[in-house]
Structure formats: C-alpha cells, structure tokens
Amino acid sequence: MRYSALSKMKDKMQYIIMIFAIVFALGLQMLTTFGTSSLEGNEADLIALLQNSVGNISTLLSSIMFFTYPASLALGSSNVLYSILWMILFLIASSIGLLLFLMVGEKTYIKGILGKPQLKLNKRKEEKVEIKEEKNNLFFNLVSNEWKTMWRSPSFNMNLISSVIIIPIIVFFSFAAAFVAEEEVGIGELLLGLKEMVNFKEGYAMVFLIAILSFFTSFSMIAPTAISRDGKNAWFNKVVPIKTMTIINAKVFWGIVLGYAPIVFITLIGLFIGLFNIIELLLVNIPLFFLVVLCNYLGICIDLKRPKLEWDDENAAVKNNMNG
C-alpha cells in the first residue's frame, strides 16, 4: 500500500484469481481422474504414490515454513523428553517471529494504511466528454445500463456473466474426462455413444434431453438479483417516470439472453456433430426458451417480494442472496 500502487489493480487481480482457481480445479480433477484410473487394480502402487506425495509435500512445506520444523520433530519423536524440548524451541521461535512481525507491521503496514502512497503517480489524462443525443427508446437505454453495470463490476461480472459461460464448459469437460478415463474410450467412441443415447425415436428421449439441458439454464442469477443489485438506490425505480413493466422487462432481458445462450451453444454443437437434425433442434429449443423466460420472471418476482438491499460489498448482493 505504501510503496506500490497495486491497490489500483484490485479489479484485475479478481479476474486473475478467478482464472487461476478454474485452471487449478480442472487440473486437479484431471490428475485425480486419470491418475486413479491408471492405478486401478494395483493398490500397492497407489499407496506408495500417496506416501511419496505426502512425504514430498511435508518436505516442501518444512523448507518453506522452516519455523514449523521443531514442531514436526516434537510430534514425530518417540521420546517424551525430546518432544517437550522441541516444542519449547518451537514456542520460542514462534514468539520471536511474532515480535518481528509486530515491529515490521507497526513501522510499515500501519503507516501504509494511514498514510498516502509514496509512489509518483502519472498525471491523469483528461477525458473528453461527448454529449450524445438521447435515444427515444427507453427500454434499450435501460438494457444498456444494466449490461454496463454488470460488465464493469468484477464482482457482478464473475457471478452473473462469466459463470453462465464457464460453468457449462466445466461440467461438460468434467463429464467427458471422467467418462473417457472410466470407460477407456476415445473422443470418437464417446460421440458414437452420445448418438445412441440421443435417439428421438423414443418419446421419452426428447423430454429427458430437455430436462438435462434445463439444468444449464439455472446458472443465470441475473433476474433473481436484479432489484437487490440496486441496493439502497432501489427506491429510485418507484419514482422514476418510466412504466414499471418497462423497468422489469429491462432487468429480465439479460437474464433471458444469458440463460438461453448455453442452450443454443450446446444444441448447435449437437447439430454440428450429428446428434440431431434441424427439426429436432427446434423441438428442443422452443420449449427451453419458454422455460428460461418463465424462470427469469419468477426469479424477479421473488426478488421484488424480498430484495436484499442492505449490503456493503457487491459480492453480498449476489453470493449471499438466496433468491436465486
């Protein structure tokens, strides 16, 4: 804080952390899925692998957090006297470390919070303000404002826009990886298996597919948090001279679009790889469109009835909101 201007990169850091978390989770899942499947039936190798992994992690952590080494010796020693002596040494080392942190923190960290950064900041560029003619269509103006609010805020973007795109990809990727690892088949055989499963000659097959795809429509939290996101300014929706349904339709618009987008994307891929034809694609997409519309209007009705308006952090308006 005192010696750098990293606080200005707070929004970018949230995106970096999100990407890292996704890559780490997928990598860990791939490692466990393919690692355990390759060692299946050979429990001795699996136990040896786990022991080596835990041992390597312990050695790595002991080298990084060297002050925990006496504590590990205290726990691992069979001699009670040695265990007590090592634990006393650990407590002394921890106390010295705590005092050092207090001294450094008082001289740098606390002053960094209270004082101004010593970094020379670049001069701000003067922004040119262009006055544009106001469009006559209030609905599209409201829709545009809703999008800008969600897009510019990292918290809203990650919880409302990015999640709709990323979660279906993760679910599909996880399913494909687990199926390939368990059945030991290739991508071509996986596609053939899907074609056999998606067979519209049976009446229940289409209903079953619609039920599965409807799961992907539930990731959009835009409509159930539309009023809550306004926070303490939600009262303005009551006094602004715009029809109530125009405001509600504008707030629901992006929920319908982003809730329906994964369905269109998945079904177009299915059409491309030959799972079904154009007629079958329409027969699946049309009911799902009305389902998305119904769910979004139901969601905003719940948020109108019990909005979460008291929040200090944008994450709380979405993550801690049970309306979705």
Side-chain angles (χ1 to χ4, degrees), residues 206-260:
M206 185 175 293
V207 179
F208 185 66
L209 181 62
I210 290 174
I212 293 174
L213 293 177
S214 65
F215 172 71
F216 292 99
T217 67
S218 63
F219 298 127
S220 176
M221 291 283 290
I222 295 175
T225 61
I227 307 301
S228 298
R229 292 197 307 272
D230 290 338
K232 297 176 181 178
N233 298 321
W235 61 270
F236 186 70
N237 294 318
K238 289 185 175 183
V239 298
V240 66
I242 302 175
K243 291 181 179 179
T244 304
M245 282 309 301
T246 303
I247 297 174
I248 292 175
N249 291 334
K251 289 185 176 295
V252 170
F253 178 83
W254 289 115
I256 295 173
V257 171
L258 294 178
Y260 192 56

Side-chain angles (χ1 to χ4, degrees), residues 82-132:
Y82 283 158
S83 296
I84 294 172
L85 292 175
W86 281 120
M87 186 56 67
I88 292 172
L89 181 61
F90 169 68
L91 293 174
I92 293 172
S94 299
S95 301
I96 294 172
L98 180 61
L99 291 173
L100 288 173
F101 273 110
L102 287 173
M103 291 169 58
V104 174
E106 190 172 353
K107 291 185 178 298
T108 58
Y109 179 70
I110 295 177
K111 289 183 180 179
I113 295 174
L114 300 177
K116 295 180 180 179
Q118 301 297 324
L119 195 71
K120 293 183 179 179
L121 301 175
N122 296 327
K123 294 181 179 179
R124 294 180 180 177
K125 296 180 180 180
E126 295 182 1
E127 297 181 356
K128 295 181 180 179
V129 180
E130 296 181 0
I131 300 175
K132 297 181 180 180

Side-chain angles (χ1 to χ4, degrees), residues 56-251:
N56 292 333
I57 292 171
S58 302
T59 305
L60 178 64
L61 290 176
S62 297
S63 61
I64 295 173
M65 297 184 289
F66 56 90
F67 49 86
T68 61
Y69 184 67
S72 64
L73 292 175
L75 293 172
S77 177
S78 58
N79 191 314
V80 177
L81 181 60
Y82 283 158
S83 296
I84 294 172
L85 292 175
W86 281 120
M87 186 56 67
I88 292 172
L89 181 61
F90 169 68
L91 293 174
I92 293 172
S94 299
S95 301
I96 294 172
L98 180 61
L99 291 173
L100 288 173
F101 273 110
L102 287 173
M103 291 169 58
V104 174
E106 190 172 353
K107 291 185 178 298
T108 58
Y109 179 70
I110 295 177
K111 289 183 180 179
I113 295 174
L114 300 177
K116 295 180 180 179
Q118 301 297 324
L119 195 71
K120 293 183 179 179
L121 301 175
N122 296 327
K123 294 181 179 179
R124 294 180 180 177
K125 296 180 180 180
E126 295 182 1
E127 297 181 356
K128 295 181 180 179
V129 180
E130 296 181 0
I131 300 175
K132 297 181 180 180
E133 293 183 3
E134 186 68 21
K135 296 179 181 179
N136 293 326
N137 197 323
L138 286 173
F139 175 75
F140 287 107
N141 286 337
L142 293 172
V143 167
S144 177
N145 289 334
E146 286 289 322
W147 176 261
K148 289 175 182 177
T149 302
M150 292 189 298
W151 182 258
R152 290 174 181 174
S153 167
S155 301
F156 289 160
N157 193 335
M158 288 188 292
N159 291 302
L160 300 175
I161 299 176
S162 301
S163 61
V164 174
I165 301 170
I166 293 170
I167 292 178
I169 295 174
I170 293 176
V171 171
F172 178 78
F173 181 80
S174 303
F175 167 77
F179 188 83
V180 169
E182 183 177 351
E183 302 294 334
E184 297 182 355
V185 298
I187 300 298
E189 294 176 350
L190 176 62
L191 293 177
L192 288 174
L194 286 173
K195 288 180 181 179
E196 292 178 1
M197 291 172 61
V198 184
N199 183 5
F200 289 107
K201 293 178 181 179
E202 301 292 340
Y204 66 84
M206 185 175 293
V207 179
F208 185 66
L209 181 62
I210 290 174
I212 293 174
L213 293 177
S214 65
F215 172 71
F216 292 99
T217 67
S218 63
F219 298 127
S220 176
M221 291 283 290
I222 295 175
T225 61
I227 307 301
S228 298
R229 292 197 307 272
D230 290 338
K232 297 176 181 178
N233 298 321
W235 61 270
F236 186 70
N237 294 318
K238 289 185 175 183
V239 298
V240 66
I242 302 175
K243 291 181 179 179
T244 304
M245 282 309 301
T246 303
I247 297 174
I248 292 175
N249 291 334
K251 289 185 176 295

Side-chain angles (χ1 to χ4, degrees), residues 264-285:
V264 175
F265 179 72
I266 293 170
T267 51
L268 285 177
I269 291 178
L271 179 67
F272 178 75
I273 62 178
L275 289 180
F276 36 75
N277 55 38
I278 295 289
I279 302 299
E280 292 168 345
L281 182 137
L282 292 175
L283 290 174
V284 170
N285 275 270

